[in-house]
Amino acid sequence: MSYSQGDIFVGETIGTAILILFGAGVCAAVNLKRSKARSAGWLAIAFGWGFGVMAGAYTAGPLSGGHLNPAVTVGVAVDTGEWADVPVYLAGQFVGALIGAALTYVAYYAQFAANSDPTDAQPTLGIFATIPEVRHPVANVLSEIVATLALVLPLLAFGLDDGIGESGTKTLLVAFLVVGIGLSLGGPTGYAINPARDLAPRAAHALLPIPNKGTSDWGYAWVPVVGPLVGAVLAGLVFNAAF
């Protein structure tokens, strides 16, 4: 399906903002003091991100196809050879992710404010961006490559089934795929699998007036960008070779 570049930008901005609001929102709910969902755990986080994908992609779908992820956009472009709209997709995704991160801050403003005591402050970067459990750049990049390959290759394969497309369940399947990746492959790095999902909210963390926010860890920021993009290219190449 062909979309205008204006619609692509608007759709990806709105859809990615919804994705990040759900995803960063569940991370805030689980981690911030005086949140009713505090310590709800990894299962809650995985499903929160999955439902964010579902809500954002269904919303953006009529306008842009609902990529919401530069890795998905690049993987599709590698498969189809169509690159003309890629910059517009990426622009909308990064702008939307920044908006979604800012909306998360607004929604949890009181909880962030309650983090003002430096003797009892909770780290906040993990609400917005990914942090590896074991810092090992090579292993961290490989983890992101594998997890993104596990996202983009099935997503491309879903497009081969006309019944999935006609029923409108492709987006639902991708949402559950993201939940599965979070549960199975999210342990090492927090599964960015999406450069916009990490880079723009990391920038929001750096810019927002969050009490005791600590470092934004820019030294790690390249990993959740490079890893997913490499994984996406590999997924597109494997799909072209195998299907």
Side-chain angles (χ1 to χ4, degrees), residues 22-69:
F22 274 62
V26 73
C27 290
V30 170
N31 288 287
L32 284 172
K33 294 188 301 182
R34 302 180 69 178
S35 163
K36 291 183 180 296
R38 179 164 171 76
S39 300
W42 191 250
L43 191 64
I45 289 174
F47 273 96
W49 279 104
F51 290 141
V53 169
M54 181 180 68
Y58 271 126
T59 303
L63 293 173
S64 67
H67 292 190
L68 316 185
N69 181 344

Side-chain angles (χ1 to χ4, degrees), residues 33 114 119 186 189 192 205 208 216 239:
K33 294 188 301 182
T119 64
T189 62
H205 178 266
L208 290 168
S216 298
F239 183 78

Side-chain angles (χ1 to χ4, degrees), residues 105-118:
Y105 171 72
V106 172
Y108 282 89
Y109 179 82
Q111 283 69 35
F112 281 112
N115 205 44
S116 59
D117 183 356

Side-chain angles (χ1 to χ4, degrees), residues 74-81 153 156 233-243:
V74 168
V76 170
V78 170
D79 172 39
T80 63
L153 186 56
L156 293 173
V233 170
L234 291 175
L237 293 174
V238 170
F239 183 78
N240 270 335
F243 291 89

Side-chain angles (χ1 to χ4, degrees), residues 115-170:
N115 205 44
S116 59
D117 183 356
T119 64
D120 190 33
Q122 301 295 314
T124 57
L125 177 59
I127 293 169
F128 296 93
T130 58
I131 303 169
E133 192 66 17
V134 177
R135 189 173 292 264
H136 187 297
V138 173
N140 300 151
V141 168
L142 289 173
S143 178
E144 288 291 338
I145 290 172
V146 170
T148 308
L149 184 63
L151 168 68
V152 178
L153 186 56
L155 187 152
L156 293 173
F158 292 161
L160 296 176
D161 189 321
D162 292 337
I164 290 176
E166 292 172 1
S167 67
T169 57
K170 179 180 178 181

